[in-house]
């Protein structure tokens, strides 16, 4: 007797009343893309996750590339609204509280929406899309602004080093929040508080001479090529012949 083949779930259809909404389909796509990355995700896997069919996915979103773009756009909009709300809340607060609220926005989102966070920031998912790149850029711009405010508040010149410090902070917070999104047992709020303390300790303990040296060598405030009396080992922003020891 011949063995019957298992039914092809990708071509089976729900009853019209039970068909998933677009958001439910996008939730399934987000989960599969976050777990497997773009290359390994398939329309069949996404349809299975949504308890739907491949024809339904194609009818609603087009091909896999179009589905991925739609999923990313939705997640970018959600995270942007989340962090913008945190930034607006922090605008009138003291600097340390602004830093805390900004850092906590990333950690709380990573804890509450780990699939979304991995989809947007895990390089293993796929190369950065334009939407994700713009989101990362806007977050970095906000953080750089906070670094500049901190430097100005402490009477320090603001040069290229401020941008580098901002990128360091974004990288640190982003990688740490990504770790939280992969670690269900890790409390995101406690992790965010730890990260806030780490960032503030780094800013308070920053050696001004290191920042001034970078700005000087990069053409920032007081920068430019070494003048008379400045040998290869003299990178001070002070007048000629006054190398710091």
């Amino acid at each position: 007797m011949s063995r019957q083949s298992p039914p092809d779930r990708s071509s089976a259809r729900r009853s019209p009343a039970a068909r998933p909404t677009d958001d439910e389909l996008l939730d399934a796509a987000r989960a599969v893309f976050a777990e497997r990355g773009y290359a390994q995700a398939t329309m069949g896997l996404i349809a299975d996750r949504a308890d739907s069919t491949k024809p339904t996915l194609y009818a609603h979103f087009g091909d896999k590339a179009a589905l991925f773009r739609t999923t990313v756009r939705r997640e970018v909009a959600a995270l942007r609204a989340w962090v913008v709300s945190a930034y607006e809340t922090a605008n009138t607060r003291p600097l340390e509280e602004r830093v805390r609220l900004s850092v906590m926005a990333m950690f709380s989102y990573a804890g509450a929406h780990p699939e979304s966070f991995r989809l947007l920031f895990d390089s293993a998912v796929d190369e950065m899309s334009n939407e994700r790149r713009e989101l990362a850029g806007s977050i970095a711009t906000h953080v750089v602004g906070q670094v500049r405010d901190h430097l100005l508040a402490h009477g320090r010149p603001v040069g290229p080093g401020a941008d580098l410090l901002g990128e360091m902070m974004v990288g640190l917070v982003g990688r740490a929040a990504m770790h939280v999104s992969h670690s269900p047992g890790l409390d995101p709020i406690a992790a965010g508080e730890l990260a806030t303390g780490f960032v503030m300790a780094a800013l308070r303990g920053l050696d001004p001479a290191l920042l001034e040296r970078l700005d000087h060598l990069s053409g920032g405030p007081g920068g430019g090529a070494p003048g008379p009396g400045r040998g290869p080992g003299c990178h001070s922003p002070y007048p000629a012949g006054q190398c710091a020891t």
Side-chain angles (χ1 to χ4, degrees), residues 45-182:
L45 287 170
I46 295 168
D48 285 349
R49 182 66 63 95
D51 193 19
S52 185
T53 68
K54 287 195 292 185
T56 297
L57 286 176
Y58 286 116
H60 283 236
F61 301 106
D63 60 14
K64 185 175 80 167
L67 175 58
F68 182 74
R69 288 193 298 270
T70 301
T71 305
V72 167
R73 280 196 296 269
R74 186 186 70 155
E75 301 310 311
V76 164
L79 178 54
R80 189 185 299 279
W82 184 287
V83 296
V84 165
S85 175
Y87 296 165
E88 289 175 347
T89 300
N91 273 343
T92 59
R93 307 288 182 88
L95 178 64
E96 183 164 349
E97 184 65 11
R98 277 186 280 150
V99 171
R100 179 184 174 276
L101 287 171
S102 299
V103 171
M104 292 305 297
M106 296 296 285
F107 277 86
S108 60
Y109 195 86
H113 308 283
E115 292 174 346
S116 178
F117 199 86
R118 291 198 299 270
L119 176 69
L120 294 177
F121 295 109
D122 194 339
S123 60
V125 171
D126 189 42
E127 292 298 319
M128 291 284 279
S129 67
N130 288 336
E131 292 89 353
R132 288 188 292 173
R133 193 175 293 111
E134 289 170 5
L135 175 64
S138 65
I139 292 171
T141 298
H142 173 77
V143 172
V144 168
Q146 291 185 328
V147 171
R148 288 173 177 269
D149 288 347
H150 175 83
L151 296 177
L152 290 171
H154 289 79
R156 298 175 185 170
V158 175
D163 293 344
L164 179 59
L165 285 173
E167 292 294 338
M168 289 176 180
M169 289 172 59
V170 170
L172 182 152
V173 171
R175 289 303 304 171
M178 180 63 67
H179 182 75
V180 168
S181 77
H182 284 281

